[in-house]
Amino acid sequence: MGSGKEASSAIIVGAGIGGLAAAVALRRIGWSVTVLERAPIIAEVGAGLTVWPNAERALDALGVDIRPRAVPTISRGNLRTPSGRWLRRSHPEDVGVLAIHRADLHDVLRKELPPTVLHTDAEVVSVSPQGVVVCRCGGEENELTADLVVAADGVNSVTRRTLWSGDPVFQRRTVWRGVTPPGSVWPVEESLTLGRGVQVGVLPLPDERVYWFVTANADQPNQLYADNRREALNRVGDWHHPIPALLATTPEDQVLHNDIVDIDPVPTYVNDRVVLLGDAAHAMPPDLGQGACQAIEDAVVLAACLASGDGPQGYDEQRRARVHPMAAAARASVRRTSNTGLLAHLAVATAARLIPPAAWRKATAQWSDWSPPSLPN
Ligand SMILES: Cc1cc2nc3c(=O)[nH]c(=O)nc-3n(C[C@H](O)[C@H](O)[C@H](O)COP(=O)(O)OP(=O)(O)OC[C@H]3O[C@@H](n4cnc5c(N)ncnc54)[C@H](O)[C@@H]3O)c2cc1C
């Protein structure tokens, strides 16, 4: 791999944030790349995302600038109670993040790729460890081979399920998300409101849009609701302003609902010529806001390891050491904040009120103080 005259080749399964970032990164080191995406078209899916400084630096390493499409803010800086009382106000020492619509981040990455790289309506049905990919492309079954297959096919990854093992694990939590129409509720301040077993996050986005999410404990997975906005309003419709207004102004058919799932740590991200990347490798609960950030980091480290000769094994070692403690911390956060006992809830609220700014910063910076390896020019 990586030697000889012909460019090394990669097939990337999935055109999410991880797959696109991997395509950009591998092209940066001179690889020839094919991205296979099962969706028939690239739609504007998703809601808001926070991009932490670690991922901002990783994007810089790829030469990708998302700042014109994002709003600088502080994630989890302002904490409130459902009645609106402030438990904590953001502090100049807090770690800054970029808030962006997922569709915008996706679009910026996609524009870095020539159109011929990305194939939609291309569902991968099997991958062999030797790098043979069977794809149902536009109704026809094709076999493709490459030096490396990057499985960036998300938490339900077919590749992981067949070549590794491990189904997603339901975290007994569900989430509704939405983005308000431009200017409908504006201005708003970033905030996270902590109820007992229910939390609401609010983040301003560009164009006077607002990203909101409502997470709630749930006993059963895969519960379907006739009216998702109504379900979210049932839980937080009497909480402080602007929460009810944000939900009420978001068109009902644009409210997303999904369960929070993650995966148990996989022992290796590499199986011969196949590597796992992004949620396929390490889906985690969204409590740290780092899932997509880690997929972007994966992409840069994979490219750096392939370029330096460390190869997939180097990628595997570096990434598992970095991501597994983070995924464990995100899971622990779910346990902590889902506890509806009064004492447990008061402990979370009191900690939010009393932790000094430096300790708060340290707790978040432990994940965001990361710098990418440099890629060859
Ligand atoms: C409520 C919530 C809030 C979040 N907030 C944040 C946040 O603030 N910051 C952050 O960094 N992260 C956040 N995340 C996590 C983030 O969304 C994910 O970690 C990230 O999007 C994963 O990207 P991915 O490319 O690995 O997977 P995906 O986005 O799942 O992409 C996988 C792609 O593969 C395609 N695919 C699947 N199977 C096949 C197949 N067989 N053949 C071809 N294509 C296939 C899919 O169609 C899809 O396009 C949040 C997640 C949730 C649920």
Side-chain angles (χ1 to χ4, degrees):
M1 251 180 261
S3 61
K5 278 193 180 138
E6 227 173 80
S8 299
S9 63
I11 294 170
I12 297 175
V13 187
I17 302 299
L20 292 187
V24 175
L26 294 190
R27 281 176 47 81
R28 278 286 313 272
I29 59 162
W31 280 50
S32 132
V33 170
T34 303
V35 182
L36 303 175
E37 168 56 51
R38 72 176 166 196
I41 52 159
I42 301 291
E44 288 205 0
V45 291
L49 285 175
T50 49
V51 174
W52 288 79
N54 48 306
E56 206 180 327
R57 286 182 213 112
L59 288 165
D60 284 342
L62 295 178
V64 174
D65 185 8
I66 62 165
R67 293 173 194 94
R69 312 272 294 260
V71 170
T73 183
I74 307 284
S75 180
R76 300 171 178 79
N78 292 317
L79 300 180
R80 307 184 79 169
T81 65
S83 67
R85 189 163 58 87
W86 295 99
L87 292 167
R88 181 183 194 275
R89 286 301 236 156
S90 67
H91 188 274
E93 274 193 57
D94 288 349
V95 178
V97 299
L98 294 173
I100 189 166
H101 198 297
R102 181 191 178 276
D104 288 334
L105 173 55
H106 197 264
D107 186 53
V108 174
L109 287 168
R110 192 152 49 101
K111 287 196 169 129
E112 295 290 323
L113 298 170
T116 47
V117 163
L118 175 57
H119 302 263
T120 52
D121 196 10
E123 179 174 20
V124 169
V125 288
S126 79
V127 176
S128 83
Q130 294 72 37
V132 181
V133 172
V134 178
C135 168
R136 217 174 277 135
C137 306
E140 275 181 31
E141 208 152 279
N142 295 307
E143 198 173 278
L144 300 99
T145 54
D147 296 313
L148 187 73
V149 178
V150 179
D153 44 353
V155 62
N156 292 304
S157 167
V158 167
T159 323
R160 188 189 68 247
R161 284 170 169 204
T162 48
L163 295 187
W164 280 257
S165 62
D167 288 332
V169 182
F170 173 51
Q171 290 299 324
R172 303 180 72 79
R173 180 173 275 191
T174 202
V175 59
W176 290 269
R177 288 175 287 165
V179 174
T180 58
S184 54
V185 184
W186 194 263
V188 299
E189 221 179 328
E190 173 276 327
S191 66
L192 179 66
T193 302
L194 306 172
R196 284 167 73 176
V198 182
Q199 294 89 34
V200 179
V202 172
L203 273 177
L205 291 178
D207 307 322
E208 300 191 352
R209 293 171 298 167
V210 182
Y211 163 51
W212 57 264
F213 64 83
V214 176
T215 61
N217 292 354
D219 293 333
Q220 297 293 331
N222 306 320
Q223 185 96 34
L224 294 178
Y225 298 100
D227 183 338
N228 279 313
R229 187 177 58 182
R230 172 60 38 212
E231 285 300 321
L233 275 166
N234 284 347
R235 286 158 177 82
V236 299
D238 59 351
W239 286 23
H240 67 80
H241 178 76
I243 291 170
L246 294 173
L247 274 60
T249 52
T250 306
E252 196 283 320
D253 62 353
Q254 288 172 31
V255 175
L256 305 174
H257 172 238
N258 53 277
D259 290 331
I260 299 298
V261 293
D262 66 2
I263 59 170
D264 289 329
V266 293
T268 169
Y269 294 165
V270 180
N271 184 340
D272 202 349
R273 286 176 181 262
V274 184
V275 299
L276 296 174
L277 182 143
D279 275 11
H282 46 63
M284 62 183 82
D287 288 49
L288 305 179
Q290 280 277 359
C293 296
Q294 291 310 301
I296 298 165
E297 283 191 14
D298 286 348
V300 178
V301 173
L302 178 62
C305 286
L306 294 173
S308 71
D310 288 346
Q313 296 305 336
Y315 163 77
D316 182 36
E317 281 160 29
Q318 289 185 43
R319 294 312 295 157
R320 278 187 298 109
R322 162 103 170 124
V323 186
H324 284 183
M326 196 182 295
R331 221 181 231 194
S333 168
V334 175
R335 299 275 173 282
R336 209 168 38 248
T337 53
S338 332
N339 191 330
T340 52
L342 182 61
L343 284 181
H345 178 64
L346 286 177
V348 170
T350 307
R353 250 184 329 112
L354 299 182
I355 290 182
W360 192 266
R361 181 188 171 81
K362 202 171 158 202
T364 43
Q366 67 175 312
W367 310 122
S368 60
D369 276 356
W370 177 90
S371 293
S374 50
L375 294 177
N377 283 320

